[in-house]
Amino acid sequence: MKTNDLILQFTAKIVFFIIFFFSIHIFFAGHYTPGGGFVGGLLTSSAIVLLVIAFDLKTVRKILPINYMYMTATGLIIAVATAAYPIFDGKPFFTHYFDYFDLPLFGKTSLHTATLFDLGVFLVVVGVTMTIIQTIGEDE
């Protein structure tokens, strides 16, 4: 029997967005400070798990119809491709490239391939973590 935990559900909706946006901040701040794809992915997974606790797995699957196995595979492809690309350019594995661009609203900004690698790590961490959580949650 599922109880109707109105206060928990209302709070979880708000806290989900707080944790999610903080994970995005940690993801982008990770190039210059501690954080990045791994920690950002763990925070995103914890935000989704909060929704699973407040509601249930079936409801969260309706809200977020994501195939986490595909997410994991996509992240792995992005991370490996970003790390391996320099080999085809005659440079060592994991060599990262960067340049400065003048972006509207942001001004002069440096963009790095390390961010693409972190995106791959982020997707792998969220995908694997949520696959494990869903597998455990399906057991009755």
Side-chain angles (χ1 to χ4, degrees):
M1 181 174 124
K2 178 73 176 143
T3 60
N4 189 7
D5 298 322
L6 187 63
I7 295 172
L8 176 62
Q9 291 175 353
F10 177 78
T11 307
K13 291 178 202 175
I14 295 170
V15 174
F16 167 80
F17 284 105
I18 293 170
I19 296 171
F20 179 72
F21 287 127
F22 183 64
S23 76
I24 300 302
H25 167 73
I26 291 293
F27 172 80
F28 284 112
H31 189 69
Y32 297 107
T33 59
F38 186 78
V39 176
L42 287 177
L43 280 169
T44 300
S45 296
S46 68
I48 298 170
V49 167
L50 177 63
L51 289 179
V52 171
I53 291 170
F55 296 94
D56 61 4
L57 196 54
K58 189 186 288 186
T59 305
V60 174
R61 278 195 179 147
K62 285 181 188 172
I63 296 169
L64 300 171
I66 299 169
N67 185 330
Y68 293 106
M69 295 292 257
Y70 287 147
M71 180 184 279
T72 302
T74 303
L76 199 55
I77 289 169
I78 291 171
V80 170
T82 304
Y85 173 77
I87 292 173
F88 301 108
D89 200 24
K91 300 211 165 97
F93 189 74
F94 266 122
T95 300
H96 288 288
Y97 301 93
F98 71 95
D99 204 353
Y100 293 93
F101 298 92
D102 196 18
L103 300 175
L105 299 175
F106 294 109
K108 188 174 181 180
T109 305
S110 63
L111 298 177
H112 304 254
T113 56
T115 305
L116 283 176
F117 179 77
D118 268 348
L119 175 65
V121 171
F122 178 89
L123 293 173
V124 168
V125 169
V126 172
V128 168
T129 306
M130 290 312 301
T131 300
I132 292 169
I133 295 297
Q134 284 184 343
T135 304
I136 293 170
E138 289 173 346
D139 290 344
E140 293 185 16

